[in-house]
Amino acid sequence: MEEISNLFQGFATVLQPFNIMVMIVGIVLGVIIGVLPGLGGANGVAILLPLTFSMSPTSAIIMLSCIYWGALFGGAITSILFNIPGEPWSVATTFDGHPMAQQGKAGEALTAAFTSSFVGALFAVIMITLVAPLVAAFALRFGPAEKFGVYFLAFCSFVGMSKEPPFKTVAAMMIGFALAAVGLDQMTGQLRLTFGFTPLLTGFDFLIAVIGLFGIGEILLTMEEGLQFKGRSAVINPTVVFQTWKELPRYWVTSLRSCVIGCWMGVTPAGATPASFMSYGIAKRMSKRGNNFGNGEIEGVIAPETAAHAAGTSALLPMLALGVPGSPTAAVLLGGLLIWGLQPGPTLFIDNKDFVWGLIASMYLGNIVGLLIVLTCVPIFAAILRIPFSIIAPIILVYCAIGAYSVHNSNFDVVMMMVFGVLGYFLKKCNYPLAPLVLAIVLGDRAEESFRQSLLASQGSLSIFWSNWLVGTIMALGLIALFWSAIQTTWTRLRAMVTA
Amino acid sequence: MTRPIHTLSFGAAFALGTALALTSAVPTQAAWEPTRPVEFIIPAGPGGGADIMARTIQGIVTKHNLMKQPMVVINKAGGAGGEGFLDIKASAGNPHKIIITLSNLFTTPLATGIPFNWKDLTPVAMLALDEFCLWVHAETPYKSAKEYIDAAKKANGTFKMAGTGSKQEDQIITEAIQKITGAKFIYIPERGGGAVAVQLVGKHVDSTVNNPNEAISQWKGGTLRPLCVFDSKQMPYKEVIAEGKSWGDIPTCKSQGLDIEYLMLRGIFMTPGATKDQVDYYIGVFKKVRETEEWKKLMADGAFNQTFMTGADYTKWVATEEKRHEELMRAAGFLAKQ
Amino acid sequence: MTGQSNGASGAGPSHRSVEIGVALLTLVFSLIVIGGSLQVGIDWAFDGPRAGFFPFYLGLLILMSSLVNLFQIIMDGKTQRLFAEWGQLGQVLRVVVPSTVYVVLVPYIGIYAASILLIAVFMKWLGRYGWTLVLAVSIGTIVITFIVFEKWFLVPLPKGPIEELLGL
């Protein structure tokens, strides 16, 4: 009960007029950051951090967390409209979000995405409010082996079922892993696969691959098919938000499942990206319309968006409670806390109660304000698709280039983006699945790292992955997910045999 | 068809450009000052010690208006910071770029063989030195470094030490401990100091050599305990942190029979070929930064060693330190194969 | 809008030849990965697997699946499906060529000038818009971009001689 009264005090702090203004400014800035590739959430927060030093810590953290919300909302916009995910966790949103936009249902897709983000984040905030200390203790149980288990589970639940030829899937995924391995090997501090070529030192960033494979590749496919987005004739409908809302409650099971997946993945330091892929993969398997995923199913937008944002939000919890950032943005916020003289960690909840509860209250309100702002803009965003292709395409190209450049401030990356673009066109036309490739680039080095850390700790014995109930359960779930379709067919056959 | 019109519009742009350049370049020949935003490169990821320090400096500069042009902080962490160093090296003659360094100034080129050496850069100033402590979990019985090392020896090479990165400062210290005491550790590299501390809190490893500010919160929270500090003398900070102890109460490792001294550089360098005026300008800025309350607080919170050096002293210190790293890393077998 | 006919319909590279090309590409890639891994060591050192251990097996897996893919395509000689018609590929090239030129130009003339050129070329060549609109959109977009990135968010983007002259 003490939590609740603290929370209301927090609300009182946040509801001061100045703080509300700060909140709105933060959300709008955040949406801009999320929409423009090259200004990621972490980037945006980092750049704006110094601006907030003249404010009180509470106002400042409200502004920064609202920028964070705004960026989360904004990331979905480019994914759905142009097939360009600005952030790793928006990749899974493109799978069904972009086909929806192509069918003229951009408004529905955006509404579903924003609403799901809201639901996911809200769920996570409620969890933070109620069970923060408990969850923080749970996060501590994650050593290298458990982390690897989580990555393994994310891969298995996403990859197990693919319509493409299996050897093409293997090739695509392994190429992704190989690209992720380029650069410095974190475990031995050695350079590998760089062949003495210095621009390769930093490896292949996921963003460059994704901008190329998805964004540029999409433009090339559009050109081949004859110069226009299919959804161009879409009627701009101001009531689209309410119409979509009527449909959404039907998918409450998917939402709830995605919330749980998201929170779990956010607290275990795996983060939002595996959460979104895993949630998409599981939704595809569980849904009655699973076969139609990838062709513009609204459920395929709800699942990854809910999970990503539940994860992104709950990732702030380890930061506050343990001082370990669960995401790059959280890392920058952490730096901010230190500058304001607040020491994150177990003592923050005791020493700086006002601040912590002010932050949590601002999460509730910031989320609501953010949702209202982006929802009112849905028709405007959807209208962007009405701009003729020969105007919007070069502008997209320019922003892709800016995005690719600003990852490492490197011209080489811009060239690589173009290479990935052409490659994406050919791979897609030849039925190589791009999603496993991207997932492997995003998680590959992390997964390898935790695998090798585990082996170091166990001195080479693989038994460490079954050494306690936690890691054992996660690995078992992963294996079940991987062989799910096989298990299912065996089961139905067995049943048929029994009844026969 | 399109060409003439393009050249025309660019011709106009050129004309406009020269006009603007003429009016805006009002010469103030007194001393050098930046004429465009200064890029402040961090050869490490967001959230680490160097990142926090650089962002604090940026905040101080902005808040107190210490520079007329904005300061832009950019993380270039790729290749254990090699990305940032190579960028500075490639920007010779651009006075609007500075870099904050940590030990990877030496360790990264030595371990990876990338074509870079600190002599490629122009030294500006040493801002501070970061201390290292030996940490164990508070629930373990070890009250002194000696007790811990004895236990590690008995455990016969099964004790685990977590640290930041591979073949970098944390692993160099671990190697030195092994060499001096004969105890063996399994070294597990993590991505950042925060993650290292949490692995220790979660009892996935037995000890760490975290910087003070990476583990202060866990010490306050009663989950970690510092055993000794790798410096020649005890730290000067007397404010009580936890268990009635201050940073100043932590004994030196030397007094515990671990004769190891290791401090990490937090210093500033500029692009190659910078003039004395330019270096002096930045020294002036950092001197002002050091006088602010915010900086003093950062120093006290992180229990930094506040040595400040410029000019020949600084260059000499860096040269000695490079030689020391090379020796340490050769002994450990960490040098890149040629 | 294209003003061009889609070429002689029905003619174009066969799907099969492109598939073979892609499979060969992945094959070459796998060899590069394997070579790079061998350089850094693929065995198990005293402190765990060496840097090349994982990439080496990844390389082998890519090599294996490339060979299987190649084999399947060559065996499956029946399909006479086209990859795309020449006219369609021409359309694709109309994006690829200007974009490639753009990407190559960026380091020399800066991203802003190159972007103005790219947008203008696209709108003029593919869209056949009038010069007023072309210049308004291309220069307008870039000016907004400049203000947002360089002035608001302080993200430095590559600049060339023109920005140097303008003192930006």
Side-chain angles (χ1 to χ4, degrees), chain A residues 456-459, chain B residues 149-161 178 182-187 206:
Chain A
L456 271 182
S458 73
Q459 292 178 298
Chain B
I149 295 293
D150 287 343
K153 274 186 202 161
K154 265 199 212 108
N156 227 348
T158 56
F159 269 34
K160 300 179 200 103
M161 177 84 88
Q178 302 196 44
K184 281 271 166 279
F185 292 93
I186 299 169
Y187 179 80
D206 299 285

Side-chain angles (χ1 to χ4, degrees), chain A residues 42 46-47 49-51 53-54 139-144 146-147 184-191 198 201-202 322-325 328 331-332 334-335 338-348 351 407-410 445-446 449 453 456-459, chain B residues 39 46-47 51-52 55-56 58-60 62-63 73-76 78-80 82-83 86-87 111-115 157-158 160 165-168 171 186-191 194-195 198-199 201-204 213 216-218 220-221 223 297 301 337:
Chain A
I47 292 160
L49 199 54
L51 297 183
F53 291 151
S54 51
L140 278 178
R141 301 190 57 105
F142 279 74
E146 289 80 4
K147 271 190 222 168
L184 188 89
D185 172 28
Q186 199 72 26
M187 298 299 290
T188 58
Q190 228 180 337
L191 290 177
T198 41
L201 195 68
T202 54
L322 304 171
V324 181
V332 178
L334 179 76
L338 291 168
I339 295 169
W340 295 308
L342 299 166
Q343 187 70 56
T347 49
L348 185 70
D351 295 350
V407 174
H408 290 300
N409 293 315
S410 147
D445 53 342
R446 299 264 165 169
E449 198 177 301
Q453 281 170 344
L456 271 182
S458 73
Q459 292 178 298
Chain B
E39 288 177 32
D51 183 68
I52 291 169
R55 289 186 195 279
T56 312
Q58 182 199 26
I60 293 171
T62 316
K63 192 171 167 190
V73 172
I74 300 175
N75 294 89
K76 287 194 170 234
E83 181 192 1
L86 290 176
D87 177 60
T112 62
I114 57 165
T158 56
K160 300 179 200 103
S166 185
K167 297 177 185 168
Q168 294 178 30
Q171 198 174 5
I186 299 169
Y187 179 80
I188 298 184
E190 293 280 341
R191 270 180 191 237
V198 169
Q199 288 299 308
V201 175
K203 297 185 190 165
H204 302 286
N213 63 348
I216 179 173
S217 171
Q218 282 79 7
K220 268 188 192 165
T223 47
K297 186 163 181 344
D301 285 348
K337 281 181 227 114

Side-chain angles (χ1 to χ4, degrees), chain B residues 127-163:
Chain B
L127 295 180
L129 293 168
D130 211 342
E131 304 276 3
F132 287 83
C133 293
L134 180 63
W135 298 86
V136 292
H137 198 283
E139 286 168 20
T140 54
Y142 319 116
K143 296 286 177 220
S144 71
K146 197 177 168 311
E147 281 175 38
Y148 177 68
I149 295 293
D150 287 343
K153 274 186 202 161
K154 265 199 212 108
N156 227 348
T158 56
F159 269 34
K160 300 179 200 103
M161 177 84 88

Side-chain angles (χ1 to χ4, degrees), chain A residues 81 101 104-108 110 231-241 243 376-387:
Chain A
L81 296 185
K105 292 194 283 189
E108 282 90 330
L110 286 169
R232 228 184 103 213
S233 54
V235 197
I236 301 307
N237 181 354
T239 59
V240 64
V241 172
Q243 285 173 0
T376 36
C377 296
V378 163
I380 304 173
F381 294 137
I384 294 175
L385 285 182
R386 289 167 71 99
I387 301 174

Side-chain angles (χ1 to χ4, degrees), chain A residues 1 12 21 56 68 75 163 166 175 191-192 212 263 354 380 441:
Chain A
M1 276 310 100
M21 192 197 75
S56 75
Y68 185 60
K163 273 177 262 172
I175 289 174
L191 290 177
R192 59 182 179 185
C263 286
D354 293 352
I380 304 173
I441 296 186

